[in-house]
Structure formats: C-alpha cells, structure tokens
Amino acid sequence: MLQKFRVIVFFAVLLGLTGCAGLGNMKEVEFQAEAKPDVAMVNIVRRAVFLGDGAKVEAWDGDEFIGTLSAGKLLQYEAKPGIHTFMVYIQGAWGVAKGDLKPGKTYYLKFNMSGWGPISLGVAESTDPRIPEWNTMSTVSIDKSSPKDVPEQYVLKAKKVLQRVESGSANVTPITDRNAL
C-alpha cells in the first residue's frame, strides 16, 4: 500500500513540474528595447521560481489570447494605445491589470504566484531596479505563422473575468502613468 502511495505522489509531482503544452505556439524573438511611436509595448514577465514552473501561464488582452508564458520568459506584445485589461490564467486562477496605455511607451507586467494561493498580475513602476535584468530574459511572442485555435471554453472564461472587472468585483492592479517608460 505504501509503495502505491509513493508511485502516485511521484507522478503527481512529476505532472506538476512538467506542465502542459499551452494554448499558443510561441517563438523566441529579439528583445525590443523601445516601443514604436504608434503602439505601446507591453512586457509580461514570468520569473523562474521552481514552485509551479511547469505550468504554463496564458496571457490575454481582454478576450483576445496573446500568448503562453513559460517560466523564465518575457512575453512582448504590441498594443494599440487606449484602455486595456490584461489577464493571466494558470490552473483555474486569474490575475488582472488594467489601464490606459500611451503610444510610444513601454510597460512591464509581472506574473506573481504565492505558493498554492492566489495569483496576481503586478505592474512595475518605471524606476523598478529589476527592469534591466528582465530585459535580458529569453523573449517570446506568439507565432502568428503557426496559430492554434483557442478553445471556446477559455474565451468564455476570459469574458466572465472581464464582466467581473467591469462590475468592480475583481481584484485589479491599476496601470498608471507611473508605470510607463
């Protein structure tokens, strides 16, 4: 009986460390240090911290899927200026940040996970001392030449979170001018 329990625990730990394939095909890209004058550059950072690193984080701009983020990666995304609600999803939990993005500016959003508890999507201030380190991370972007269909169930989940944001019942990190570089 003890041997069976050990085997089950071993496979449960192994599954937690390996994660799943993710909703999007991603490709490594060269880091873009500056935003183009007509768009805002959004960098979503996911540090490698070992605990939960195997699970993939799915990133959204409203109900539009923008990429899958593995541990130790930085996702670069060009957004039209204006109000955006960015969301990250991992294993049933959501983190949200919302704000009015300015053209030609760069923003850093950071996926945060506290053990087995809630997640959040933090927003770095423009003076954050970690930004130079983040700029050296492996940079990814969604591979538009090899798209995957996002299952409708995930789009519906994203829309439900957006409804909670609009009704004021979601925990949302604000993106402000202090966050723009």
Side-chain angles (χ1 to χ4, degrees):
M1 181 66 167
L2 185 57
Q3 183 65 21
K4 286 182 182 180
F5 179 73
R6 286 182 182 160
V7 170
I8 291 170
V9 168
F10 172 77
F11 282 110
V13 168
L14 186 62
L15 180 64
L17 293 176
T18 57
C20 61
L23 295 177
N25 286 329
M26 305 303 291
K27 64 179 179 179
E28 293 214 9
V29 295
E30 186 177 327
F31 178 77
Q32 300 299 312
E34 293 185 26
K36 296 175 187 167
D38 58 338
V39 297
M41 179 64 75
V42 178
N43 296 307
I44 303 176
V45 177
R46 179 169 182 209
R47 303 280 303 147
V49 295
F50 185 69
L51 183 60
D53 278 357
K56 307 290 187 206
V57 172
E58 310 299 350
W60 298 78
D61 178 1
D63 60 1
E64 178 186 350
F65 175 72
I66 60 173
T68 298
L69 196 54
S70 300
K73 305 285 184 187
L74 179 143
L75 170 69
Q76 283 202 303
Y77 172 72
E78 290 180 333
K80 293 180 183 177
I83 297 175
H84 288 261
T85 303
F86 291 99
M87 305 181 300
V88 289
Y89 172 82
I90 185 170
Q91 298 177 338
W94 291 85
V96 182
K98 181 178 180 177
D100 189 5
L101 305 183
K102 307 295 188 224
K105 296 295 182 179
T106 299
Y107 300 84
Y108 287 84
L109 310 180
K110 184 177 177 297
F111 169 76
N112 298 309
M113 183 166 66
S114 58
W116 300 105
I119 67 165
S120 66
L121 187 56
V123 182
E125 291 196 12
S126 61
T127 57
D128 193 307
R130 300 172 293 179
I131 290 174
E133 175 191 346
W134 293 342
N135 290 347
T136 65
M137 293 174 70
S138 179
T139 306
V140 296
S141 170
I142 197 158
D143 188 353
K144 293 181 180 176
S145 69
S146 176
K148 281 184 172 179
D149 288 331
V150 177
E152 185 65 21
Q153 69 188 39
Y154 290 100
V155 176
L156 293 174
K157 287 178 184 182
K159 287 180 179 183
K160 284 183 182 179
V161 173
L162 286 170
Q163 288 173 347
R164 290 183 42 230
V165 169
E166 294 307 314
S167 72
S169 64
N171 186 17
V172 178
T173 305
I175 303 171
T176 67
D177 289 342
R178 289 189 349 230
N179 307 115
L181 276 87

